[in-house]
Amino acid sequence: VQLQASGGGLVQAGGSLRLSCAASGRTFSSYVIGWFRQAPGKEREFVAAVSRNGEIAHYADSVKGRFTISRDNAKSTVYLPMNSLKPEDTAVYYCAASTTPLSTWQREYMYWGQGTQVTVSS
């Protein structure tokens, strides 16, 4: 499966953005999709993941209550609306696909999209 992340941009603190991850291939619904992010000078970290059918989601503590992950298998797309953005959310955001149920471990994601930059100004 090939993944394409989009929707990043520059926003002021307190603002919102919605990231999208569009996939190619007919087996999209077979994969758990996760979002990860990497800030300058920091390691890439888990943000959120959604189950194959979209019914279960898991979030990093730092984004709970502000980010919501969802998917539309008919459109082979995963969405990540991000609200109440903070400067510390500034990072390159990546979507990735895994066959491991709701994994937070990067090594269990075998397909990765290119990143999309999110910059939150204070």
Side-chain angles (χ1 to χ4, degrees), residues 3-8 19-22 35 93-95 113-116:
L3 304 172
Q4 178 85 23
S6 62
L19 304 185
S20 298
C21 177
W35 285 96
Y93 284 71
Y94 301 88
C95 59
Q114 93 298 349
T116 185

Side-chain angles (χ1 to χ4, degrees), residues 1 7 11 20-22 24 28 41 43-45 48 51 53 75 105 115 120:
V1 62
V11 65
S20 298
C21 177
S24 62
F28 177 73
E43 294 186 352
R44 190 159 55 186
E45 64 177 5
S51 63
N53 62 7
K75 296 182 178 179
W105 291 88
V120 184

